[in-house]
Amino acid sequence: MLHFESDYNNGAHEAVLRHLIETNDERTHSYGDDNFSEHARALIREATGTPDADIYFLAGGTQTNATILDCLLEPFEGVLCCDTAHINVHESGAVEATGHKVLTIPNVQGKLMSNDLRRWLQAYFADDTAEHMVRPGAVYITFPTELGTLYSLDELKALRTVCDDYGLKFYVDGARLCYGLAASPNVTLPLLASLADAFYIGGTKCGVLCGEAVVFPRGNAPSHMLSRIKRRGALLAKSRVVGVQFEALFTDGLYFQIGRQAVHLAQRLREIFVEEKGYRPFIDSPTNQQFFIIPNTDLEALHRIAGFENWCPVDATHTAVRFVTSWATVAEEVEALA
Amino acid sequence: MLHFESDYNNGAHEAVLRHLIETNDERTHSYGDDNFSEHARALIREATGTPDADIYFLAGGTQTNATILDCLLEPFEGVLCCDTAHINVHESGAVEATGHKVLTIPNVQGKLMSNDLRRWLQAYFADDTAEHMVRPGAVYITFPTELGTLYSLDELKALRTVCDDYGLKFYVDGARLCYGLAASPNVTLPLLASLADAFYIGGTKCGVLCGEAVVFPRGNAPSHMLSRIKRRGALLAKSRVVGVQFEALFTDGLYFQIGRQAVHLAQRLREIFVEEKGYRPFIDSPTNQQFFIIPNTDLEALHRIAGFENWCPVDATHTAVRFVTSWATVAEEVEALA
Amino acid sequence: MLHFESDYNNGAHEAVLRHLIETNDERTHSYGDDNFSEHARALIREATGTPDADIYFLAGGTQTNATILDCLLEPFEGVLCCDTAHINVHESGAVEATGHKVLTIPNVQGKLMSNDLRRWLQAYFADDTAEHMVRPGAVYITFPTELGTLYSLDELKALRTVCDDYGLKFYVDGARLCYGLAASPNVTLPLLASLADAFYIGGTKCGVLCGEAVVFPRGNAPSHMLSRIKRRGALLAKSRVVGVQFEALFTDGLYFQIGRQAVHLAQRLREIFVEEKGYRPFIDSPTNQQFFIIPNTDLEALHRIAGFENWCPVDATHTAVRFVTSWATVAEEVEALA
Amino acid sequence: MLHFESDYNNGAHEAVLRHLIETNDERTHSYGDDNFSEHARALIREATGTPDADIYFLAGGTQTNATILDCLLEPFEGVLCCDTAHINVHESGAVEATGHKVLTIPNVQGKLMSNDLRRWLQAYFADDTAEHMVRPGAVYITFPTELGTLYSLDELKALRTVCDDYGLKFYVDGARLCYGLAASPNVTLPLLASLADAFYIGGTKCGVLCGEAVVFPRGNAPSHMLSRIKRRGALLAKSRVVGVQFEALFTDGLYFQIGRQAVHLAQRLREIFVEEKGYRPFIDSPTNQQFFIIPNTDLEALHRIAGFENWCPVDATHTAVRFVTSWATVAEEVEALA
């Protein structure tokens, strides 16, 4: 059986696991106040070009999004995103469970476009009844998006400009950040850090057992983060477990290498499906998630040899499917599919 | 340096780590729907004598308490506990963040006594203004307590009876359950399971990297648990990480052995402090947390050789301190302290 | 100055005020447990043909919507409505502040159409990832809508059928219910009560100082409503104030008469604007809110003689405006406008 | 039947009702932006000596407490009060429903004493685990208290000093403020306003149909109060109804006169019970709530001639009862009781 169901159907990258093993016997402080976590923070500060960054280690994307957006927003504010955003669709209402409305704008290829955002904001602020509506306090995007697409550097800068113009925080969900960075011609971690007010470097989908690193790039975390995080149930007593794993991810460029390899294999997958087998892509994705349109008559056979997700019906006789590569995918698997 | 700060200042028990390593390369389903988790559930059902139990794997005690109490309570209900309860003191208001009041009753040796509970409930239900007060919906205890003390089997049964008499759910926080079971003359996992409506088997403080196993012993979990858990940010995509570790904990009685060893060393610690060195115990604890009263003049020297926690001032010249053993504590450390 | 800003720019209908005066000196029980409220409930049960109805008096539409939807929904459920729904747009996120997501479907003339609803639900329940999405628990509509339009009896029945097919609660926001009933050819209060699981009879916009009557038509209110309502800050100590006013509204058909008169004047308003003055209607509304498209060059002059609301820009040179009649509007005002 | 059940068992003071009648026909803006409310604010600013005060009109004490405390607190902060405080006991968990913990300190005669408060804060800030506990953000008191007792001016000043020393907001619940001011030798409205960060002038229990005036004395309301209030369901569309009534209350000193008269009759009540009939007071209350200890054998007969509340059992044969006077109580009623 070949496995392309997701990028979290596996354990940890070997180098990550090795570092867990070699640090296992040390005794440390807890709740993030340990040397491994401190070193991991230093490595992340270096990789993101943010010497003053505040960095926190949480476990899980939904937890991170709900907790950090709650930190960025005033209680009466909502968060703007496109309608396909993960927080709007696939987080079981975790953001609303913290009392904040998710305000949506139609997506373009899974992305929130800055001109649509600006138009929305113009209408909001021109409305005499704005105070009766939920005030926007932050903008949420994913890089890459749920559809595997990427914002160009210019698109990111344009979103930042709109945020500045309207006093909004800019938050980037980086659940699959390593794959986005690998596929982007010019968006780098330091550039992303310079544009966002907060973002997280996803670990769970990028090679660790569990863990995400939240970065407030300019030391701009609000006060009492430990209380804020614990109140949302997101503080790990043995937080070092995440710190240790991020130490490994940011040693010798492992994080970036993981991204490059998975993207490389994903592009090969695409070649196989589209060029060799003649299937149509559902969307043009440069990252580790590939979406193809498959005749329903082929679905069963395909499911027998490989794990993948039926994404959505396309028409009466075709289905869009998703194949995902990860750090754990090997070239042999991809070729076996061919 | 000797380490008695806590039972979460370490990595994972060697057998747990080994199992993580040997399962690392397998690809599985996600969100708890994998074979490791399924097997771990089977092992836990066997160890708890609950063939019909619903079992969920979360990561972190505060997260678990807030999420599961929210499942047990109606929105307008509160949870009863003693004033020293972890949810009341040391969870940054996570329960209140889900909208529920924590209703407190004075503790006796860190415990909630059934007669105090009954008196509270009698007064509540006799009060004409009860509907203007927060209705009690569940009772929360820890086994062992925050002060290391234990409920006797009779005390647990008496609490269960009061819960039955007043229609309350009975929830047991088992963050340190293995140490409690090891120290108790007659409270067993099946007995606990037969008395509680829900409880969790703590992993983080009992030998795993992260993870707790929530048990609804009689298949009595409410519907849509995946949504409920994810909405609170408590669903791990790679939930198998916890499943794998609990598989190890419940293989060959490891969980119980971890408890026994740490309790044994804790009793030796107590012997050293109380009998050999003549310090007074702050409270009489049979479990892995030991509290001693130390003259302030001795504190600095003691902190130089061992990590431990200053618990609270006792009087102008004495401080209560906490020494904690864990699965990671070795006899040599304890003797070195002597 | 003529006044068409809203239907809450006034005091109370004279008969309502008179009843407040004549009951003012009586001493009663509090929190809804008084004879006036009890009598008002009896009158409403009669008018709605619901002898077993549970009825509660709150004050304010947003408060009522947020409180009652929270009663109808499980904590992890959301409420479905059309995108123009009041709860989605103009309640400052009050529903989300109780932790529930508002799930939206595009409107047709301000209405939620049953076929769109059914399609949404089919897609939701066919989705393998449904548990990661917010589960729909209730359907919300307003009668009449925010745009003054009305559901036909068949449309209401079709919505009810979809709710039955998918196990959803059906909730009707009746902030302007009297105007909707007056304009509908065949929707009556008993028919509405037979279709909804809960609805409220709006008072604030229909002739009282403050107050709305929530009806659970088949005695189907959840338990502990006093606690649920008070917990949301919606319980009036002197709740009789609302009870007394609803006694007046439901004596001698006042509620229905208020609706008929305002609708009659609104239709005259429409005649003046559309037939006599040649403006285009923005939407075809049979109720007390009328929307016209006005050249921007006429706006200022019109604002000098009458209070009304600029609703939204239509194009570069035209604006949609809203004129509202109420029980307080008199024929002379409407003719003066002519 | 004589009526001493509560101070909200009635309608509105005659002058208040008269003003509602005489303003009934005017058309105004909504949501607090009307001339009556504006004038009421001016009168309150004058009476409180706070020319820069921000003032909002809400309806109901529980709603006001929960909404305004939520404005004063950071999301992760709790509110300190004594254990008998209304928000802790009799508001159905409304404060917790907004996500904030109520932190309690034992009361002395229904009051929070500044030295107890200081001791609590010293312990909190000296605790190494403070970040894991709920951070105190505000102090809540009622003036007068739930037991009818009063803080002296010195006691209020001492609480203010502690708040300043620890950076806490000071909030005063004035549900029965008029009775407290009437009974206090030296606490005046301007003095109270100079000490509090926010307080509310109770209307519901002091002569109006419904309504409370929230005062931020130094223009220190947080931004976007309309949104904040509406989000909690506390914004009245026809908010003028409260404004009009407060206009009446603060014209010609009516608010103070209401307080004086009720307190005068309450003291006469006390004379009758204690000096003439020989009952013992349950607590020494100088305000409009009087508590007496009654032999259980006398209870039934007393309940036949007067409405009052059984407060709590005192011993096996005695019950504490509460008699309340209000603006609506007349001397004849009190003497009839004699």
Side-chain angles (χ1 to χ4, degrees):
Chain A
M1 189 70 171
L2 307 171
H3 291 280
F4 300 96
E5 300 90 351
S6 72
D7 32 24
Y8 44 89
N9 62 357
N10 45 55
H13 186 280
E14 150 187 49
V16 171
L17 197 60
R18 199 181 326 121
H19 197 45
L20 278 172
I21 297 165
E22 71 201 12
T23 60
N24 191 60
D25 288 341
E26 290 211 36
R27 313 289 178 81
T28 58
H29 288 134
S30 312
Y31 300 115
D33 185 23
D34 63 277
N35 290 335
F36 303 126
S37 298
E38 210 36 77
H39 185 221
R41 285 188 194 98
L43 293 171
I44 292 173
R45 283 191 194 101
E46 201 186 329
T48 53
T50 61
D52 302 322
D54 297 318
I55 299 175
Y56 302 90
F57 296 113
L58 282 69
T62 295
Q63 176 182 100
T64 302
N65 288 335
T67 301
I68 303 305
L69 285 171
D70 192 39
C71 288
L72 294 175
L73 297 170
E74 290 287 323
F76 57 92
E77 291 179 339
V79 55
L80 275 162
C81 59
C82 68
D83 51 0
T84 48
H86 204 259
I87 53 167
N88 189 47
V89 180
H90 276 125
E91 302 199 349
S92 295
V95 169
E96 289 87 356
T98 68
H100 299 286
K101 189 176 186 71
V102 176
L103 302 159
T104 59
I105 293 176
N107 79 90
V108 176
Q109 301 276 87
K111 296 190 281 184
L112 175 68
M113 304 312 287
S114 63
N115 52 348
D116 294 334
L117 175 63
R118 186 178 290 280
R119 222 167 3 240
W120 192 100
L121 289 161
Q122 281 167 342
Y124 174 84
F125 284 103
D127 196 314
D128 287 343
T129 65
E131 284 289 296
H132 298 258
M133 300 159 79
V134 172
R135 188 178 180 84
V139 167
Y140 165 100
I141 66 163
T142 45
F143 186 87
T145 72
E146 288 69 22
L147 293 173
T149 53
L150 283 180
Y151 291 86
S152 72
L153 184 55
D154 283 348
E155 286 172 338
L156 292 176
K157 285 181 177 169
L159 287 169
R160 172 77 260 175
T161 300
V162 179
C163 287
D164 285 342
D165 290 350
Y166 287 94
L168 307 180
K169 308 283 175 53
F170 187 25
Y171 172 80
V172 181
D173 176 338
R176 295 189 166 96
L177 187 55
C178 73
Y179 308 115
L181 293 171
S184 172
N186 53 6
V187 177
T188 63
L189 206 37
L191 281 169
L192 194 75
S194 74
L195 293 170
D197 292 299
F199 66 102
Y200 83 84
I201 301 173
T204 300
K205 296 173 176 170
C206 304
V208 305
L209 294 177
C210 65
E212 336 295 328
V214 177
V215 182
F216 290 89
R218 289 165 290 284
N220 55 322
S223 67
H224 301 291
M225 282 301 291
L226 190 146
S227 289
R228 290 176 190 264
I229 291 172
K230 184 158 196 173
R231 178 176 179 256
R232 292 294 175 205
L235 184 68
L236 291 171
K238 221 177 272 184
S239 175
R240 70 183 246 182
V241 169
V242 182
V244 164
Q245 294 182 89
F246 268 87
E247 235 187 326
L249 281 185
F250 280 85
T251 295
D252 297 334
L254 177 61
Y255 193 70
F256 306 100
Q257 178 206 315
I258 283 175
R260 281 192 305 268
Q261 177 188 318
V263 165
H264 173 74
L265 293 175
Q267 293 313 310
R268 172 67 188 127
L269 207 59
R270 181 194 160 90
E271 208 173 77
I272 293 168
F273 270 86
V274 178
E275 283 160 47
E276 302 182 7
K277 304 293 178 187
Y279 292 111
R280 270 182 305 139
F282 176 64
I283 193 163
D284 188 27
S285 160
T287 62
N288 75 317
Q289 300 187 89
Q290 293 296 323
F291 301 83
F292 309 115
I293 297 173
I294 307 283
N296 292 348
T297 48
D298 293 5
L299 271 182
E300 206 184 326
L302 201 50
H303 272 299
R304 262 198 300 272
I305 59 165
F308 61 91
E309 205 176 297
N310 286 6
W311 192 252
C312 63
V314 172
D315 58 33
T317 56
H318 291 79
T319 297
V321 301
R322 186 184 71 160
F323 279 72
V324 188
T325 62
S326 75
W327 59 273
T329 310
V330 290
E332 290 69 22
E333 272 185 297
V334 176
E335 297 310 324
L337 198 63
Chain B
M1 188 70 170
L2 307 171
H3 290 281
F4 300 96
E5 300 90 351
S6 71
D7 31 25
Y8 43 89
N9 61 358
N10 45 54
H13 186 280
E14 148 187 49
V16 171
L17 196 60
R18 199 180 327 119
H19 197 45
L20 277 171
I21 297 166
E22 70 201 13
T23 61
N24 191 61
D25 288 343
E26 291 211 34
R27 311 291 178 81
T28 58
H29 288 134
S30 312
Y31 301 115
D33 185 24
D34 63 278
N35 290 337
F36 303 125
S37 299
E38 211 35 79
H39 185 223
R41 286 189 194 98
L43 293 171
I44 292 173
R45 284 191 193 102
E46 200 186 330
T48 53
T50 60
D52 302 323
D54 297 318
I55 299 175
Y56 302 91
F57 296 113
L58 281 70
T62 295
Q63 176 182 99
T64 302
N65 288 335
T67 301
I68 303 306
L69 285 171
D70 192 38
C71 288
L72 295 175
L73 297 170
E74 291 286 324
F76 57 91
E77 290 179 339
V79 54
L80 276 161
C81 59
C82 68
D83 51 359
T84 48
H86 204 259
I87 53 167
N88 189 46
V89 180
H90 276 125
E91 302 198 350
S92 296
V95 168
E96 289 87 355
T98 69
H100 299 287
K101 190 177 185 71
V102 176
L103 302 159
T104 59
I105 292 175
N107 80 92
V108 176
Q109 301 275 87
K111 297 190 281 184
L112 175 67
M113 304 312 288
S114 64
N115 53 348
D116 294 334
L117 176 63
R118 186 177 291 281
R119 223 169 359 242
W120 191 100
L121 289 161
Q122 282 168 341
Y124 174 83
F125 284 103
D127 196 314
D128 288 342
T129 65
E131 284 290 295
H132 298 260
M133 300 159 79
V134 173
R135 187 177 180 85
V139 167
Y140 165 101
I141 66 163
T142 46
F143 186 88
T145 72
E146 288 70 21
L147 292 173
T149 53
L150 283 179
Y151 291 85
S152 72
L153 184 55
D154 283 348
E155 286 171 338
L156 292 177
K157 285 181 175 169
L159 287 170
R160 172 76 261 176
T161 300
V162 179
C163 286
D164 285 342
D165 290 351
Y166 287 95
L168 307 180
K169 309 283 175 51
F170 188 25
Y171 173 80
V172 181
D173 176 338
R176 296 189 166 96
L177 187 56
C178 72
Y179 309 116
L181 294 170
S184 172
N186 53 6
V187 177
T188 63
L189 207 36
L191 282 170
L192 194 75
S194 73
L195 293 170
D197 291 298
F199 66 101
Y200 83 85
I201 302 173
T204 301
K205 295 172 176 170
C206 304
V208 304
L209 294 177
C210 64
E212 337 294 328
V214 177
V215 182
F216 290 88
R218 289 165 290 285
N220 55 322
S223 67
H224 301 292
M225 281 300 290
L226 190 145
S227 288
R228 290 175 190 264
I229 291 172
K230 184 159 196 172
R231 178 174 179 257
R232 293 293 176 206
L235 183 68
L236 290 172
K238 221 177 272 184
S239 177
R240 70 183 248 180
V241 169
V242 182
V244 164
Q245 295 182 89
F246 268 86
E247 237 188 324
L249 281 185
F250 280 85
T251 295
D252 297 334
L254 177 61
Y255 193 69
F256 306 99
Q257 176 205 315
I258 283 175
R260 281 192 304 270
Q261 176 187 319
V263 166
H264 173 73
L265 292 176
Q267 294 313 310
R268 173 66 188 129
L269 208 58
R270 181 194 160 91
E271 207 173 77
I272 293 168
F273 270 85
V274 178
E275 284 160 46
E276 300 182 8
K277 304 294 178 187
Y279 292 111
R280 270 182 304 140
F282 176 64
I283 193 164
D284 189 26
S285 159
T287 62
N288 74 317
Q289 300 187 88
Q290 293 295 323
F291 301 83
F292 310 113
I293 296 173
I294 306 284
N296 293 347
T297 48
D298 293 5
L299 271 181
E300 206 184 327
L302 201 50
H303 272 299
R304 262 198 301 273
I305 59 166
F308 61 91
E309 207 176 294
N310 286 5
W311 192 253
C312 63
V314 172
D315 59 32
T317 57
H318 292 78
T319 296
V321 300
R322 184 183 73 158
F323 278 71
V324 188
T325 62
S326 76
W327 59 272
T329 311
V330 290
E332 289 70 22
E333 273 185 297
V334 176
E335 299 309 324
L337 198 63
Chain C
M1 189 71 170
L2 306 171
H3 290 280
F4 300 96
E5 299 91 352
S6 73
D7 32 24
Y8 43 89
N9 62 358
N10 45 54
H13 186 281
E14 155 189 41
V16 171
L17 196 61
R18 200 180 325 121
H19 197 45
L20 277 172
I21 297 166
E22 71 201 13
T23 60
N24 191 62
D25 288 342
E26 291 211 34
R27 313 289 177 82
T28 59
H29 288 134
S30 311
Y31 300 115
D33 185 23
D34 64 278
N35 290 336
F36 303 126
S37 298
E38 212 34 79
H39 185 223
R41 285 188 194 99
L43 293 171
I44 291 173
R45 284 191 193 102
E46 201 186 328
T48 53
T50 62
D52 301 323
D54 296 318
I55 299 174
Y56 302 91
F57 295 113
L58 280 70
T62 295
Q63 176 182 101
T64 301
N65 288 334
T67 301
I68 303 305
L69 286 170
D70 192 39
C71 289
L72 295 175
L73 297 170
E74 291 286 326
F76 58 90
E77 292 178 339
V79 55
L80 275 161
C81 59
C82 68
D83 52 359
T84 48
H86 204 259
I87 54 167
N88 189 47
V89 181
H90 276 125
E91 302 199 349
S92 295
V95 168
E96 289 87 356
T98 68
H100 300 287
K101 190 177 185 68
V102 176
L103 302 160
T104 58
I105 292 175
N107 79 91
V108 175
Q109 300 276 87
K111 296 190 282 184
L112 175 68
M113 303 313 286
S114 63
N115 52 349
D116 294 333
L117 176 63
R118 186 177 291 279
R119 224 170 358 243
W120 192 100
L121 289 161
Q122 282 167 341
Y124 174 84
F125 284 103
D127 195 315
D128 287 342
T129 65
E131 284 290 294
H132 298 259
M133 300 159 79
V134 173
R135 188 178 178 84
V139 167
Y140 165 100
I141 66 163
T142 45
F143 186 88
T145 70
E146 288 69 22
L147 292 173
T149 53
L150 283 180
Y151 291 85
S152 73
L153 184 54
D154 283 348
E155 287 172 337
L156 292 176
K157 285 180 175 169
L159 287 169
R160 171 77 262 175
T161 300
V162 179
C163 287
D164 285 343
D165 290 351
Y166 287 94
L168 307 180
K169 308 285 175 54
F170 188 25
Y171 173 79
V172 182
D173 175 338
R176 294 190 167 97
L177 187 54
C178 72
Y179 309 116
L181 294 171
S184 172
N186 53 5
V187 177
T188 63
L189 206 37
L191 282 169
L192 192 75
S194 73
L195 293 169
D197 290 299
F199 66 101
Y200 83 84
I201 301 173
T204 300
K205 295 172 177 170
C206 304
V208 305
L209 294 177
C210 66
E212 337 295 328
V214 177
V215 182
F216 291 88
R218 289 165 290 284
N220 56 322
S223 67
H224 301 293
M225 282 300 291
L226 190 146
S227 288
R228 290 175 191 264
I229 292 171
K230 184 159 194 171
R231 179 174 179 257
R232 292 295 175 205
L235 183 68
L236 291 172
K238 220 178 271 184
S239 176
R240 70 182 248 180
V241 168
V242 182
V244 163
Q245 294 182 90
F246 268 86
E247 236 188 325
L249 280 185
F250 280 84
T251 296
D252 297 336
L254 177 61
Y255 193 70
F256 306 99
Q257 176 205 315
I258 283 174
R260 283 193 301 270
Q261 177 188 318
V263 166
H264 173 73
L265 292 175
Q267 294 313 311
R268 173 66 189 127
L269 207 58
R270 182 194 160 89
E271 206 174 79
I272 291 168
F273 270 85
V274 179
E275 284 160 47
E276 300 182 10
K277 305 293 179 187
Y279 292 112
R280 270 181 305 140
F282 176 65
I283 193 164
D284 189 26
S285 160
T287 61
N288 74 317
Q289 300 187 87
Q290 294 296 322
F291 300 82
F292 309 114
I293 297 173
I294 306 284
N296 292 348
T297 48
D298 294 4
L299 270 182
E300 203 184 329
L302 202 51
H303 272 300
R304 262 200 299 274
I305 60 165
F308 62 90
E309 207 176 295
N310 286 6
W311 192 252
C312 64
V314 172
D315 59 33
T317 57
H318 292 78
T319 297
V321 300
R322 184 183 74 160
F323 279 71
V324 188
T325 62
S326 76
W327 60 272
T329 311
V330 290
E332 288 71 20
E333 273 185 295
V334 176
E335 298 309 324
L337 197 63
Chain D
M1 190 69 171
L2 306 171
H3 290 280
F4 299 96
E5 299 91 352
S6 72
D7 32 24
Y8 44 88
N9 61 359
N10 45 54
H13 186 280
E14 151 188 45
V16 171
L17 196 61
R18 199 181 325 121
H19 197 45
L20 277 172
I21 297 166
E22 70 200 13
T23 60
N24 191 61
D25 289 341
E26 291 211 33
R27 313 289 178 81
T28 59
H29 289 133
S30 310
Y31 300 115
D33 186 24
D34 63 277
N35 291 335
F36 303 126
S37 298
E38 211 35 78
H39 185 222
R41 285 188 195 99
L43 293 171
I44 292 172
R45 284 190 194 103
E46 201 186 329
T48 53
T50 61
D52 301 324
D54 296 319
I55 298 174
Y56 302 91
F57 295 112
L58 281 71
T62 295
Q63 175 182 101
T64 302
N65 288 334
T67 301
I68 302 306
L69 285 171
D70 192 38
C71 289
L72 294 175
L73 297 169
E74 291 287 324
F76 58 89
E77 291 178 338
V79 53
L80 276 161
C81 59
C82 68
D83 52 0
T84 48
H86 204 260
I87 53 168
N88 189 47
V89 181
H90 275 125
E91 302 198 348
S92 296
V95 168
E96 288 88 356
T98 68
H100 299 287
K101 190 178 185 68
V102 176
L103 302 159
T104 59
I105 293 175
N107 79 92
V108 175
Q109 301 275 89
K111 296 190 282 185
L112 175 68
M113 304 312 287
S114 63
N115 52 348
D116 294 333
L117 175 63
R118 186 178 291 278
R119 224 169 357 242
W120 191 100
L121 289 161
Q122 281 169 342
Y124 174 84
F125 284 103
D127 196 314
D128 287 343
T129 66
E131 284 290 294
H132 297 260
M133 301 160 78
V134 173
R135 188 178 179 84
V139 167
Y140 165 101
I141 65 163
T142 45
F143 186 87
T145 72
E146 288 69 21
L147 292 173
T149 54
L150 284 180
Y151 291 86
S152 73
L153 185 53
D154 283 349
E155 286 172 339
L156 293 176
K157 285 181 176 170
L159 288 169
R160 173 77 259 176
T161 299
V162 178
C163 287
D164 285 343
D165 290 351
Y166 287 94
L168 307 179
K169 308 285 175 54
F170 188 25
Y171 173 79
V172 182
D173 176 338
R176 294 188 167 97
L177 188 55
C178 73
Y179 309 116
L181 293 170
S184 171
N186 53 7
V187 177
T188 63
L189 205 38
L191 282 169
L192 193 76
S194 73
L195 293 169
D197 291 299
F199 66 101
Y200 82 84
I201 301 173
T204 300
K205 294 173 177 171
C206 304
V208 305
L209 294 178
C210 66
E212 337 295 328
V214 177
V215 182
F216 291 88
R218 287 165 291 286
N220 55 321
S223 68
H224 301 293
M225 282 300 292
L226 190 146
S227 288
R228 290 174 191 265
I229 292 172
K230 183 158 195 171
R231 179 175 178 258
R232 292 293 176 206
L235 184 67
L236 291 171
K238 222 178 268 184
S239 177
R240 70 183 246 182
V241 168
V242 182
V244 163
Q245 294 182 89
F246 268 87
E247 236 188 325
L249 281 185
F250 280 84
T251 295
D252 297 335
L254 177 61
Y255 193 70
F256 306 99
Q257 177 206 315
I258 283 173
R260 283 192 303 270
Q261 178 188 319
V263 166
H264 173 74
L265 292 176
Q267 293 313 309
R268 173 65 188 129
L269 208 59
R270 182 193 159 90
E271 207 175 76
I272 292 168
F273 270 85
V274 178
E275 283 161 45
E276 300 181 10
K277 305 292 179 187
Y279 293 112
R280 269 181 305 140
F282 176 65
I283 193 165
D284 189 26
S285 160
T287 61
N288 75 317
Q289 300 187 88
Q290 294 297 322
F291 301 83
F292 309 114
I293 296 172
I294 306 283
N296 291 348
T297 48
D298 294 4
L299 270 182
E300 203 185 328
L302 201 51
H303 271 300
R304 262 200 299 274
I305 59 165
F308 62 91
E309 207 177 296
N310 285 7
W311 192 252
C312 64
V314 172
D315 59 32
T317 56
H318 291 79
T319 297
V321 300
R322 184 184 75 159
F323 279 70
V324 188
T325 63
S326 76
W327 60 271
T329 312
V330 289
E332 288 70 22
E333 274 185 295
V334 178
E335 297 309 324
L337 198 64

